[in-house]
Amino acid sequence: MTVWPGSAYPLGATYDGNGTNFAVFSESAHKVELCLFDDDRNETRFELTEVDAFVWHGYLPQVQPGQRYGYRVHGEYDPVNGERSNPNKLLLDPYAKATTGVIKWGSSVFSYNFGDPLSRNDEDSAQDTMLGVVINPYFDWAGDRHPRTPYSDTFIYEAHVKGLTKLHPGIPEDQRGSYGGVAHPLMIEHFQKLGVTAVELMPVHQFINDSALADKGLSNYWGYNTIGFFAPHSGYASNGELGQQVQEFKGMVRSLHDAGIEVILDVVYNHTAEGNHLGPTLSMRGIDDKAYYRHVDDSPEYYMDYTGTGNSLNVGHPHSLQLIMDSLRYWVTEMHVDGFRFDLASTLAREFYDVDKLSTFFELVQQDPIVSQVKLIAEPWDVGPGGYQVGNFPPQWTEWNGKYRDTVRDFWKGEPSTLGEFAERLTGSADLYEQSGRRPVASINFVTAHDGFTLADLVSYNEKHNDANGEDNNDGESHNRSFNFGVEGPTDDPHVLEMRSRQQRNFLTTLLISQGVPMLLHGDELGRTQGGNNNGYAQDNEISWIHWDKADAPLMEFVAAIAHLRKDHPTFRRSRFFDGRPVRRGEGEPLPDIGWIAPDGNAMAPEDWDSGFGRSIGVFLNGDGIRGKDMRGEPITDDHFLILLNAHTDSVEFRLPEDEYATAWEIVVDTAGAGVSTEPRMAGEAITAQAVSALILRQYKGPEPDGDNSVAASLIAMSGAATTPINTPGRPAV
């Protein structure tokens, strides 16, 4: 087979309709061999003799999609000085757009002999490692377009490709747990019922299972162990055809876009699966160790580890940065995704040592005409010094707000002295984001995520129960801010079950009426439990998968109703922070855009905020005080709302504020299920918030033309109370 000179750009294997161009960067290489494999893994080697700016390249006119390949890199092997080239290790192309095979854990995939990390192991790894696959880049997108949902209208659903549908009885068995399963019509119907506008998929870049987990009979279920930044994970394809994962992923995106749902990827650019100095040699370690990984300055045998996983990508090297940026652009332009959530994003800001929001990575993102235009979400921490950076990312970014999670949990648990910070979190966390010119949507609000308790477990367990992970229950967070209502785990006690259900509704209501962008963990709307396991990273089984046959249907209806309340009323998704200034439109006294109301109906006094025992608060949201204009340039207005939150273990009597706010109110949500009514409640009237419950009241404007006096009928909180559900057009029936 003839090797033509080819081109140094683009990197990776690129099929053009006639043949394939191969290009790989290595500054440390003395020689690079391209290795092609047939169906039986018989190998044919071709030396790449063309080198431009340390990119080794060649064009093979006969190579078609489906061809398996890898590289062998010849160079220095000197681990003490951070050099680990060994041509006996077949290496996966960092730019491979698809992969095939799995890692067979044994001595061949390690560059050293066990027991002596400085030695050299010359066993050949070709039969025991992953191969790249040349893909067909052509796909009928059928006019697909990015939905480009504004952040203020966004509702994110964090999901695991496999766990989401693996046990779904309505999805064909061969599609369960796959990309096709995520986009099945039943799943799209579920997303739309909930009002979800974006699905955030846990890692789908090609990842591998750690040898330590394999030895325990476990696997890396979450997928935060990337080995290929361009390849969709092959294990999520519905069949094993070479390159099928690429076509199926694109089909998934196209179907979700057709339904108006964006696709956001959870990406892991902070480290790779090759681990520390005792890890395997699978790809970048053998191609150019120093270029791709951060090493300890005075001991280059070892790797800098800001992630707790063994290594950190070298974001101070131009080719490592190029890898990240090329990958991001590829997923936007070729795979049509709509944004990224960056795992342990603080690591990407460590160009030298400290976290630096002016680092080269952020500068590259800022000026990139493609990447800068999609949703960019940071997990704003890592395990290195000064790694907790909530509120400190550049203005273009949004952030997982860990302070929101902790404060909301503390408030509803009844912790003392939480009112002030709870108010900050409920209103968009201006204390974190306003000073940098950002808006409330910079805060990605969540109560639960993949890492930690599910919502059902948050209200059912005081302690973690991670025995299945094989680490003697020493893994996972021990301070969960959870409360089990007196019984650890499952119970038949009706009072405990009612309080747990109520608390779940409290969390969900708070999440969906808070300013910022809400994110829901998959299955929380269904009452999913992991049996108290708060670190299910290794549980690729029924512990982590959604049990659709056990779904809490009333809870799902409640989530859908509250989400549609949010969608219908812009007062819950403002694009600017509250400023407290009085606003008047039409007749009447000017009112502030927000007001904080004590249980006695008066404005909160300083001593109310400072009291350590305060557990109850009212919030007035002025529908005339929304700063912003609609697409026609008209001021955005809405109904007035009053939110009453009671975290006490006893009921609390609230007195509705005097009529300068509104002459009458109607209760549209009561998480205790007792107070929803079509009857108006007059200003100054007393109203009871049951123990550990939330009430949402809307300004009463009189009977609706169709005779339905209130949206309350479609927003009833499901608690077992005797209620009569009524269908309201455009909203779910409850």
Side-chain angles (χ1 to χ4, degrees), residues 84 105 109-118 211 273-281 285 301-303 310-311:
R84 288 184 167 85
W105 292 108
V109 296
F110 293 84
S111 61
Y112 63 92
N113 298 300
F114 293 158
D116 185 2
L118 299 181
S211 60
E274 291 187 291
N276 64 16
H277 65 291
L278 300 178
T281 297
R285 170 174 283 142
E301 171 191 350
Y302 302 105
Y303 296 85
N311 65 47

Side-chain angles (χ1 to χ4, degrees), residues 542-564:
E542 296 193 9
I543 290 176
S544 295
W545 303 339
I546 293 179
H547 291 257
W548 291 88
D549 60 335
K550 299 178 181 178
D552 184 341
L555 183 64
M556 181 181 69
E557 297 289 350
F558 178 75
V559 175
I562 300 296
H564 281 78

Side-chain angles (χ1 to χ4, degrees), residues 336-358:
H336 287 207
V337 305
D338 305 283
F340 305 96
R341 178 267 189 189
F342 292 80
D343 177 65
L344 300 180
S346 293
T347 299
L348 299 174
R350 294 183 186 274
E351 188 172 347
F352 298 103
Y353 180 77
D354 293 327
V355 176
D356 181 5
K357 66 180 180 181
L358 300 178

Side-chain angles (χ1 to χ4, degrees), residues 267 269 315-316 320-321 324-325 328 342 345 347-351 356-368 371 376 393-394 397:
V267 290
Y269 293 112
V315 291
S320 187
L321 281 170
I324 297 172
M325 296 305 299
L328 292 171
F342 292 80
T347 299
L348 299 174
R350 294 183 186 274
E351 188 172 347
D356 181 5
K357 66 180 180 181
L358 300 178
S359 69
T360 303
F361 171 70
F362 291 125
E363 291 176 356
L364 289 174
V365 169
Q366 178 73 29
Q367 59 81 38
D368 190 282
V371 179
L376 302 171
F393 274 68
W397 290 67

Side-chain angles (χ1 to χ4, degrees), residues 467-596:
D467 300 288
N469 296 351
E471 300 181 42
D472 297 324
N473 204 34
N474 291 318
D475 62 304
E477 176 60 57
S478 295
H479 182 44
N480 294 285
R481 296 176 161 89
S482 60
F483 182 58
N484 64 15
F485 289 92
V487 179
E488 186 74 354
T491 181
D492 294 326
D493 187 313
H495 174 71
V496 172
L497 292 174
E498 157 56 20
M499 294 308 296
R500 289 178 178 179
S501 295
R502 185 182 301 183
Q503 189 74 305
Q504 289 181 74
R505 294 191 293 271
N506 291 333
F507 281 127
L508 292 164
T509 300
T510 304
L511 176 68
L512 287 164
I513 64 171
S514 294
Q515 305 302 321
V517 179
M519 185 186 79
L520 181 71
L521 172 63
H522 80 181
D524 274 357
E525 78 280 15
L526 306 170
R528 181 174 75 94
T529 176
Q530 292 184 165
N533 191 321
N534 73 352
N535 190 29
Y537 77 103
Q539 300 302 325
D540 187 5
N541 51 51
E542 296 193 9
I543 290 176
S544 295
W545 303 339
I546 293 179
H547 291 257
W548 291 88
D549 60 335
K550 299 178 181 178
D552 184 341
L555 183 64
M556 181 181 69
E557 297 289 350
F558 178 75
V559 175
I562 300 296
H564 281 78
L565 176 70
R566 178 186 181 87
K567 180 180 179 181
D568 292 345
H569 292 281
T571 195
F572 298 117
R573 44 185 176 80
R574 302 181 184 215
S575 59
R576 291 173 173 82
F577 287 109
F578 295 99
D579 57 24
R581 289 183 297 169
V583 178
R584 179 176 63 188
R585 292 198 175 101
E587 299 180 358
E589 292 296 318
L591 295 171
D593 56 1
I594 188 170
W596 300 98

